[in-house]
Amino acid sequence: MYRAQISALVFGVGGFGALVAATASNEWKVTTRASSVITATWVYQGLWMNCAGYIQACRGLMIAAVSLGFFGSIIALFGMKCTKVGGSEQAKAKIACLAGVVFILSGLCSMTGCSLYANKITTEFFDPLFVDQKYELGAALFIGWSGASLCIIGGVIFCFSISDNNKTPRMGYAYNGPTSVMSSRTKYPGGGDIKTTNPSKQFDKNAYV
């Protein structure tokens, strides 16, 4: 249980760091411009160098992914069983599940933003009618995809970690039936009852004489 949550936190925080690096990077797409036969110039572009419509959408998705990753990391600290904050075990389980959902949403936002950007680049690259400068996929896209995968994996582990809390052992109680006391009384038709005794336990004083 503890190892699973620690692993989930490592995945989530690592993915959050990768998302921050990808969002701030300028290597979302790259191309070369050959100035001569010997030298060539590498040209990079990121999310903050253009204001095209699809770039703004990708920028918003990445900002949302980074924000969700940050809040997911904070929430996860309160939901882990190895910390002393967050309340009871049931409350910690709910907080851990919430952190998992937030990490999954963060990964999905990043995955969508990077995929949308990559789809635009590949569409322009293989379009024979596109006459402007063509670009290739940059390193920031792969970092973003990796960070998204880590966040989703960490979120899934957090969500499944609450299953151990539901497996509470049930207390067993031995059932003893009602004890019945049999009375050694013999009922007669007259309404009375005469207590019978065991002859073996009845002794007369003449027996000792």
Side-chain angles (χ1 to χ4, degrees), residues 100-175:
V101 172
V102 173
F103 273 128
I104 292 174
L105 292 176
S106 175
L108 291 177
C109 288
S110 176
M111 192 74 71
T112 304
C114 293
S115 300
L116 179 62
Y117 198 96
N119 179 67
K120 184 66 175 179
I121 295 174
T122 54
T123 301
E124 293 177 351
F125 187 85
F126 292 105
D127 186 4
L129 301 178
F130 187 76
V131 296
D132 292 338
Q133 181 67 48
K134 295 185 178 182
Y135 290 87
E136 299 177 2
L137 302 180
L141 288 172
F142 298 99
I143 296 174
W145 281 322
S146 301
S149 301
L150 291 176
C151 287
I152 293 175
I153 293 173
V156 170
I157 296 175
F158 266 124
C159 290
F160 279 99
S161 66
I162 65 173
S163 60
D164 292 341
N165 293 324
N166 297 328
K167 298 178 181 178
T168 55
R170 295 183 178 180
M171 300 296 295
Y173 297 95
Y175 174 74

